Amino acid sequence: MLTVFICSPASVMEGDSVTLFTRVKTNQQKVITWYSNETIIAEITGDLSFICTDVQCNEDGTERFRDRLKLDNQTGSLTIRDIRTTDSGYFRLFINKFNMTMTFSITVQGHSAAKQDEIIVVEEGESITLNSDVEKSPDDIVTFYFNDTLITEITENPNKTCTDVQCEDADERFRDRLKVNQSSGSLTITNIRTTDSGLYKLKITSYSNNISISSFKSFSINVTGKYHLVIQCIFFFF
């Protein structure tokens, strides 16, 4: 008997990263297959002897997801990176051992103005706040990166929120200069320095049923030094 699950529809923004969870563990008796509008886009066997994504899986050579699909070897969950409006539609999971199918309906909307990258120029010694400009749910996970190094992670539990040296792999560049807003997910950098110039990336991950959605935003910050204007007066006596 075929077991059918239909997940609640999900709406995401173009550029987001979406993970569709299987809620199972792979083993040698299972084959996990993913379809997009009934075209095979990913497949994995429990013993990992066969793994394919996108063009590797189908005979017609469809490359719609080239380099944007990732399979979890342990669970068979599928991640779609940099999702596009043309990816909207139905995604179906089939697990042969359980004769089970699960259907996901994904709608991808165009870019939001709130998520556009920001370019910020600030003077050394000032404070600056990086805002997500989106409504944050209490169970969302908010992470900030500086030049790809994790500097802040905000979780539902304040005791598990970290900044700078508290975060794994972080250095002490921002020691005692990072302040987080637990409710909004914003990050404030105090007493900013010229060495803080660079690219900051914001990632917000939310979970709903069997889907996780990660949204991204970038801030390019240029910290200028303080300039002191010196006026020299020359007097002439006649």
Side-chain angles (χ1 to χ4, degrees), residues 110-130:
H111 281 292
S112 167
K115 290 177 58 179
Q116 298 299 314
D117 295 349
E118 293 187 20
I119 300 176
I120 303 172
V121 180
V122 62
E123 188 175 89
E124 187 176 22
E126 295 183 354
S127 295
I128 185 171
T129 298
L130 308 181

Side-chain angles (χ1 to χ4, degrees), residues 87-235:
D87 297 335
S88 295
Y90 290 97
F91 293 82
R92 184 167 65 88
L93 161 69
F94 179 72
I95 303 176
N96 73 333
K97 179 180 180 180
F98 302 129
N99 199 25
M100 182 193 80
T101 184
M102 186 181 299
T103 300
F104 304 80
S105 176
I106 306 293
T107 301
V108 185
Q109 302 180 21
H111 281 292
S112 167
K115 290 177 58 179
Q116 298 299 314
D117 295 349
E118 293 187 20
I119 300 176
I120 303 172
V121 180
V122 62
E123 188 175 89
E124 187 176 22
E126 295 183 354
S127 295
I128 185 171
T129 298
L130 308 181
N131 296 303
S132 65
D133 295 326
V134 297
E135 185 175 350
K136 175 185 173 296
S137 298
D139 56 350
D140 288 349
I141 297 176
V142 179
T143 50
F144 282 90
Y145 298 82
F146 172 66
N147 293 337
D148 294 325
T149 297
L150 177 66
I151 59 172
T152 298
E153 183 172 76
I154 304 171
T155 65
E156 182 180 11
N157 185 350
N159 294 327
K160 294 184 178 180
T161 293
C162 72
T163 57
D164 197 39
V165 71
Q166 301 166 343
C167 299
E168 185 178 359
D169 298 330
D171 54 28
E172 300 186 27
R173 175 192 300 268
F174 298 97
R175 178 177 284 275
D176 299 326
R177 295 191 296 120
L178 299 181
K179 309 295 180 184
V180 300
N181 185 309
Q182 192 72 30
S183 59
S184 70
S186 64
L187 174 68
T188 298
I189 308 170
T190 62
N191 189 25
I192 201 164
R193 304 167 183 172
T194 55
T195 52
D196 298 336
S197 295
L199 183 64
Y200 293 76
K201 294 181 181 179
L202 162 65
K203 176 183 176 183
I204 301 178
T205 302
S206 59
Y207 296 87
S208 176
N209 295 324
N210 280 30
I211 301 176
S212 78
I213 302 170
S214 296
S215 302
F216 304 88
K217 184 177 181 180
S218 295
F219 306 83
S220 179
I221 298 181
N222 180 23
V223 184
T224 62
K226 288 186 176 181
Y227 295 95
H228 301 278
L229 181 62
V230 178
I231 300 177
Q232 183 177 15
C233 298
I234 302 177
F235 297 92

